[in-house]
Amino acid sequence: MFITCLDLEGVLVPEIWIAFADKTGIPELRRTTRDEPDYDKLMKFRIGILKEHGLGLKEIQDTIAGIEPLDGAKEFLDELRAICQTIIISDTFSQFATPLMKKLGWPTIFCNSLETNEKGEITGYKMRCEKSKLTTVKALQSIGFETIASGDSFNDLGMIQASKAGFLFRSTEQIIKDYPQYPAFTEYKDLLNAIKETINR
């Protein structure tokens, strides 16, 4: 039996931090896992910028409330879930993801959690597990599932490499160039067809 594992930001919804950077006018917050492979380094950088500007969880959640799924994302997800078990595996946080999951029809998501203080300031974060995407895919395989994985960033490469089939979706030119062995798509219909072909092989 197959399970498809999808990244969230950049694949199904816009990048949350980029949307927040644009809303606040803080360009440093546009940095994502497409740019920085070290997630801990990236998050510490983000938390430092938020503290410097006096911004907290509420301000980010206000931005998220206005974010809609990418065009065609919900329809793609609905069709995919009709043919294959599907899990979104994301390095985002439950405090960010919940309103987006509602807009996507409540798919299953495995993600992390933020730590905040009484003022609503983000003080840290807690990963669900180490190397969460790769660890999750290996755990699914250990209980008898074949995995298919797709994402756009450096932190998706582990689960893509470990899966029976892996696909890049709307990735960067550099990642596509560095990993030519993985088919790269920009349209949901092409990604869906590739997943279907893998399942039907």
Side-chain angles (χ1 to χ4, degrees):
M1 182 182 287
F2 282 96
I3 288 186
T4 296
C5 300
L6 298 174
D7 180 34
L8 177 64
E9 295 178 63
V11 174
L12 298 170
V13 303
E15 293 280 354
I16 292 168
W17 288 97
I18 290 177
F20 188 59
D22 291 346
K23 184 171 182 179
T24 58
I26 304 172
E28 295 91 336
L29 289 175
R30 289 182 64 87
R31 193 165 180 79
T32 71
T33 51
R34 289 177 165 214
D35 312 298
E36 176 54 68
D38 186 329
Y39 192 70
D40 184 61
K41 182 178 177 182
L42 177 63
M43 278 305 300
K44 285 177 178 174
F45 171 77
R46 287 167 168 168
I47 290 169
I49 295 290
L50 293 175
K51 187 173 183 180
E52 180 184 330
H53 290 270
L55 297 168
L57 178 59
K58 182 184 182 302
E59 288 80 8
I60 302 175
Q61 287 177 326
D62 287 346
T63 296
I64 293 169
I67 292 176
E68 295 297 326
L70 295 170
D71 287 345
K74 185 178 185 301
E75 293 78 9
F76 159 75
L77 201 53
D78 288 345
E79 193 167 348
L80 178 60
R81 291 166 71 192
I83 62 168
C84 178
Q85 294 293 317
T86 303
I87 299 173
I88 298 170
I89 307 176
S90 175
D91 279 339
T92 194
F93 308 98
S94 56
Q95 295 94 329
F96 291 2
T98 301
L100 297 170
M101 293 306 100
K102 182 178 181 180
K103 293 176 181 181
L104 286 169
W106 296 112
T108 299
I109 183 169
F110 295 168
C111 60
N112 306 308
S113 59
L114 288 168
E115 297 170 342
T116 58
N117 62 21
E118 65 281 353
K119 297 178 184 177
E121 298 168 334
I122 297 172
T123 57
Y125 68 99
K126 185 175 182 181
M127 298 294 281
R128 185 173 48 81
C129 57
E130 190 176 350
K131 295 181 179 178
S132 60
K133 298 187 180 190
L134 175 60
T135 301
T136 301
V137 160
K138 286 188 171 180
L140 291 169
Q141 292 167 351
S142 76
I143 55 173
F145 290 100
E146 296 271 22
T147 59
I148 300 167
S150 184
D152 68 330
S153 299
F154 284 109
N155 64 341
D156 298 312
L157 292 170
M159 71 174 181
I160 287 172
Q161 291 165 336
S163 292
K164 184 175 181 75
F167 308 107
L168 297 171
F169 188 74
R170 297 183 182 175
S171 190
T172 65
E173 288 183 13
Q174 190 61 54
I175 292 175
I176 292 169
K177 181 182 175 184
D178 291 345
Y179 296 89
Q181 66 270 42
Y182 300 112
F185 303 114
T186 59
E187 299 297 328
Y188 290 118
K189 61 179 172 46
D190 297 325
L191 178 57
L192 185 64
N193 286 336
I195 294 170
K196 285 179 179 178
E197 286 175 12
T198 302
I199 293 169
N200 294 329
R201 255 179 225 150

mmCIF file of all heavy atoms in Angstrom, residues 1-5 84-85 137 140-149 162-165 198-199:
data_model
loop_
_atom_site.group_PDB
_atom_site.id
_atom_site.type_symbol
_atom_site.label_atom_id
_atom_site.label_comp_id
_atom_site.label_asym_id
_atom_site.label_seq_id
_atom_site.Cartn_x
_atom_site.Cartn_y
_atom_site.Cartn_z
ATOM 1 N N MET A 1 0.837 -1.198 0.000
ATOM 2 C CA MET A 1 0.000 0.000 0.000
ATOM 3 C C MET A 1 0.872 1.248 0.000
ATOM 4 O O MET A 1 1.889 1.299 0.692
ATOM 5 C CB MET A 1 -0.921 0.005 1.218
ATOM 6 C CG MET A 1 -1.856 1.218 1.257
ATOM 7 S SD MET A 1 -2.899 1.263 2.722
ATOM 8 C CE MET A 1 -4.046 -0.056 2.338
ATOM 9 N N PHE A 2 0.463 2.239 -0.775
ATOM 10 C CA PHE A 2 1.227 3.472 -0.873
ATOM 11 C C PHE A 2 0.663 4.567 0.035
ATOM 12 O O PHE A 2 -0.537 4.653 0.252
ATOM 13 C CB PHE A 2 1.195 4.007 -2.312
ATOM 14 C CG PHE A 2 2.130 3.292 -3.242
ATOM 15 C CD1 PHE A 2 1.675 2.252 -4.033
ATOM 16 C CD2 PHE A 2 3.460 3.669 -3.331
ATOM 17 C CE1 PHE A 2 2.532 1.593 -4.902
ATOM 18 C CE2 PHE A 2 4.327 3.024 -4.192
ATOM 19 C CZ PHE A 2 3.864 1.984 -4.991
ATOM 20 N N ILE A 3 1.564 5.386 0.555
ATOM 21 C CA ILE A 3 1.205 6.646 1.197
ATOM 22 C C ILE A 3 2.009 7.742 0.504
ATOM 23 O O ILE A 3 3.223 7.610 0.333
ATOM 24 C CB ILE A 3 1.519 6.653 2.699
ATOM 25 C CG1 ILE A 3 0.555 5.751 3.465
ATOM 26 C CG2 ILE A 3 1.442 8.074 3.254
ATOM 27 C CD1 ILE A 3 0.702 5.809 4.971
ATOM 28 N N THR A 4 1.324 8.799 0.083
ATOM 29 C CA THR A 4 2.025 9.943 -0.490
ATOM 30 C C THR A 4 2.281 10.966 0.608
ATOM 31 O O THR A 4 1.378 11.324 1.365
ATOM 32 C CB THR A 4 1.203 10.590 -1.618
ATOM 33 O OG1 THR A 4 1.054 9.653 -2.674
ATOM 34 C CG2 THR A 4 1.928 11.818 -2.167
ATOM 35 N N CYS A 5 3.522 11.424 0.691
ATOM 36 C CA CYS A 5 3.935 12.398 1.694
ATOM 37 C C CYS A 5 4.262 13.711 0.988
ATOM 38 O O CYS A 5 5.145 13.749 0.119
ATOM 39 C CB CYS A 5 5.160 11.888 2.452
ATOM 40 S SG CYS A 5 4.862 10.314 3.307
ATOM 41 N N CYS A 84 -5.150 7.480 -2.964
ATOM 42 C CA CYS A 84 -3.974 7.106 -2.174
ATOM 43 C C CYS A 84 -4.018 7.795 -0.814
ATOM 44 O O CYS A 84 -4.389 8.968 -0.725
ATOM 45 C CB CYS A 84 -2.717 7.549 -2.945
ATOM 46 S SG CYS A 84 -1.154 7.245 -2.122
ATOM 47 N N GLN A 85 -3.655 7.069 0.239
ATOM 48 C CA GLN A 85 -3.515 7.709 1.541
ATOM 49 C C GLN A 85 -2.474 8.824 1.422
ATOM 50 O O GLN A 85 -1.437 8.658 0.774
ATOM 51 C CB GLN A 85 -3.061 6.697 2.588
ATOM 52 C CG GLN A 85 -4.088 5.615 2.886
ATOM 53 C CD GLN A 85 -5.317 6.179 3.562
ATOM 54 O OE1 GLN A 85 -5.217 7.005 4.460
ATOM 55 N NE2 GLN A 85 -6.494 5.734 3.135
ATOM 56 N N VAL A 137 8.954 9.160 7.052
ATOM 57 C CA VAL A 137 8.900 8.268 5.892
ATOM 58 C C VAL A 137 9.466 6.888 6.249
ATOM 59 O O VAL A 137 8.879 5.858 5.917
ATOM 60 C CB VAL A 137 9.657 8.909 4.704
ATOM 61 C CG1 VAL A 137 10.058 7.856 3.671
ATOM 62 C CG2 VAL A 137 8.795 9.976 4.052
ATOM 63 N N LEU A 140 6.958 5.005 8.384
ATOM 64 C CA LEU A 140 5.859 4.462 7.568
ATOM 65 C C LEU A 140 6.308 3.213 6.821
ATOM 66 O O LEU A 140 5.568 2.225 6.738
ATOM 67 C CB LEU A 140 5.367 5.531 6.591
ATOM 68 C CG LEU A 140 4.639 6.726 7.201
ATOM 69 C CD1 LEU A 140 4.456 7.826 6.172
ATOM 70 C CD2 LEU A 140 3.283 6.307 7.770
ATOM 71 N N GLN A 141 7.521 3.246 6.313
ATOM 72 C CA GLN A 141 8.050 2.079 5.596
ATOM 73 C C GLN A 141 8.226 0.894 6.541
ATOM 74 O O GLN A 141 8.000 -0.254 6.156
ATOM 75 C CB GLN A 141 9.381 2.451 4.928
ATOM 76 C CG GLN A 141 9.221 3.445 3.782
ATOM 77 C CD GLN A 141 10.531 4.054 3.336
ATOM 78 O OE1 GLN A 141 11.571 3.867 3.977
ATOM 79 N NE2 GLN A 141 10.497 4.793 2.240
ATOM 80 N N SER A 142 8.573 1.175 7.792
ATOM 81 C CA SER A 142 8.813 0.102 8.753
ATOM 82 C C SER A 142 7.533 -0.633 9.137
ATOM 83 O O SER A 142 7.592 -1.753 9.663
ATOM 84 C CB SER A 142 9.480 0.661 10.015
ATOM 85 O OG SER A 142 8.544 1.354 10.834
ATOM 86 N N ILE A 143 6.366 -0.012 8.860
ATOM 87 C CA ILE A 143 5.099 -0.688 9.171
ATOM 88 C C ILE A 143 4.375 -1.132 7.897
ATOM 89 O O ILE A 143 3.166 -1.343 7.895
ATOM 90 C CB ILE A 143 4.186 0.179 10.058
ATOM 91 C CG1 ILE A 143 3.923 1.557 9.435
ATOM 92 C CG2 ILE A 143 4.770 0.318 11.445
ATOM 93 C CD1 ILE A 143 2.883 2.387 10.183
ATOM 94 N N GLY A 144 5.147 -1.252 6.811
ATOM 95 C CA GLY A 144 4.612 -1.919 5.626
ATOM 96 C C GLY A 144 4.132 -1.042 4.497
ATOM 97 O O GLY A 144 3.560 -1.544 3.528
ATOM 98 N N PHE A 145 4.344 0.266 4.587
ATOM 99 C CA PHE A 145 3.904 1.153 3.507
ATOM 100 C C PHE A 145 5.040 1.449 2.531
ATOM 101 O O PHE A 145 6.207 1.534 2.922
ATOM 102 C CB PHE A 145 3.402 2.486 4.071
ATOM 103 C CG PHE A 145 2.106 2.383 4.822
ATOM 104 C CD1 PHE A 145 2.099 2.343 6.212
ATOM 105 C CD2 PHE A 145 0.898 2.318 4.144
ATOM 106 C CE1 PHE A 145 0.903 2.242 6.908
ATOM 107 C CE2 PHE A 145 -0.301 2.219 4.841
ATOM 108 C CZ PHE A 145 -0.297 2.181 6.217
ATOM 109 N N GLU A 146 4.683 1.603 1.269
ATOM 110 C CA GLU A 146 5.577 2.188 0.273
ATOM 111 C C GLU A 146 5.288 3.679 0.268
ATOM 112 O O GLU A 146 4.121 4.094 0.302
ATOM 113 C CB GLU A 146 5.288 1.622 -1.122
ATOM 114 C CG GLU A 146 5.560 0.134 -1.260
ATOM 115 C CD GLU A 146 6.996 -0.153 -1.683
ATOM 116 O OE1 GLU A 146 7.864 0.721 -1.464
ATOM 117 O OE2 GLU A 146 7.243 -1.233 -2.209
ATOM 118 N N THR A 147 6.329 4.513 0.207
ATOM 119 C CA THR A 147 6.093 5.949 0.229
ATOM 120 C C THR A 147 6.452 6.601 -1.101
ATOM 121 O O THR A 147 7.370 6.196 -1.795
ATOM 122 C CB THR A 147 6.886 6.645 1.359
ATOM 123 O OG1 THR A 147 8.285 6.411 1.176
ATOM 124 C CG2 THR A 147 6.448 6.141 2.727
ATOM 125 N N ILE A 148 5.656 7.617 -1.417
ATOM 126 C CA ILE A 148 5.908 8.534 -2.533
ATOM 127 C C ILE A 148 6.033 9.901 -1.871
ATOM 128 O O ILE A 148 5.244 10.228 -0.985
ATOM 129 C CB ILE A 148 4.737 8.534 -3.529
ATOM 130 C CG1 ILE A 148 4.517 7.134 -4.110
ATOM 131 C CG2 ILE A 148 4.966 9.544 -4.640
ATOM 132 C CD1 ILE A 148 3.195 6.982 -4.855
ATOM 133 N N ALA A 149 7.024 10.696 -2.275
ATOM 134 C CA ALA A 149 7.224 11.977 -1.605
ATOM 135 C C ALA A 149 7.426 13.098 -2.614
ATOM 136 O O ALA A 149 8.013 12.892 -3.676
ATOM 137 C CB ALA A 149 8.423 11.912 -0.657
ATOM 138 N N ALA A 162 14.486 8.851 0.141
ATOM 139 C CA ALA A 162 14.205 7.577 0.821
ATOM 140 C C ALA A 162 12.973 6.862 0.281
ATOM 141 O O ALA A 162 12.736 5.701 0.610
ATOM 142 C CB ALA A 162 14.032 7.833 2.323
ATOM 143 N N SER A 163 12.185 7.533 -0.555
ATOM 144 C CA SER A 163 10.912 6.969 -1.008
ATOM 145 C C SER A 163 11.055 6.153 -2.288
ATOM 146 O O SER A 163 12.032 6.293 -3.027
ATOM 147 C CB SER A 163 9.896 8.094 -1.216
ATOM 148 O OG SER A 163 9.544 8.674 0.027
ATOM 149 N N LYS A 164 10.046 5.329 -2.536
ATOM 150 C CA LYS A 164 10.032 4.526 -3.756
ATOM 151 C C LYS A 164 10.025 5.420 -4.992
ATOM 152 O O LYS A 164 10.647 5.123 -6.008
ATOM 153 C CB LYS A 164 8.817 3.606 -3.775
ATOM 154 C CG LYS A 164 8.793 2.655 -4.982
ATOM 155 C CD LYS A 164 7.658 1.678 -4.898
ATOM 156 C CE LYS A 164 7.666 0.719 -6.084
ATOM 157 N NZ LYS A 164 8.708 -0.307 -5.983
ATOM 158 N N ALA A 165 9.310 6.544 -4.899
ATOM 159 C CA ALA A 165 9.322 7.548 -5.966
ATOM 160 C C ALA A 165 9.335 8.923 -5.306
ATOM 161 O O ALA A 165 8.655 9.147 -4.311
ATOM 162 C CB ALA A 165 8.110 7.408 -6.872
ATOM 163 N N THR A 198 3.172 5.715 -10.588
ATOM 164 C CA THR A 198 3.930 4.956 -9.575
ATOM 165 C C THR A 198 3.042 3.928 -8.896
ATOM 166 O O THR A 198 3.439 2.762 -8.721
ATOM 167 C CB THR A 198 4.499 5.925 -8.509
ATOM 168 O OG1 THR A 198 5.328 6.897 -9.151
ATOM 169 C CG2 THR A 198 5.328 5.158 -7.483
ATOM 170 N N ILE A 199 1.835 4.321 -8.530
ATOM 171 C CA ILE A 199 0.913 3.408 -7.851
ATOM 172 C C ILE A 199 0.504 2.245 -8.761
ATOM 173 O O ILE A 199 0.365 1.110 -8.300
ATOM 174 C CB ILE A 199 -0.335 4.188 -7.375
ATOM 175 C CG1 ILE A 199 0.059 5.187 -6.275
ATOM 176 C CG2 ILE A 199 -1.422 3.236 -6.859
ATOM 177 C CD1 ILE A 199 -1.036 6.175 -5.929
#
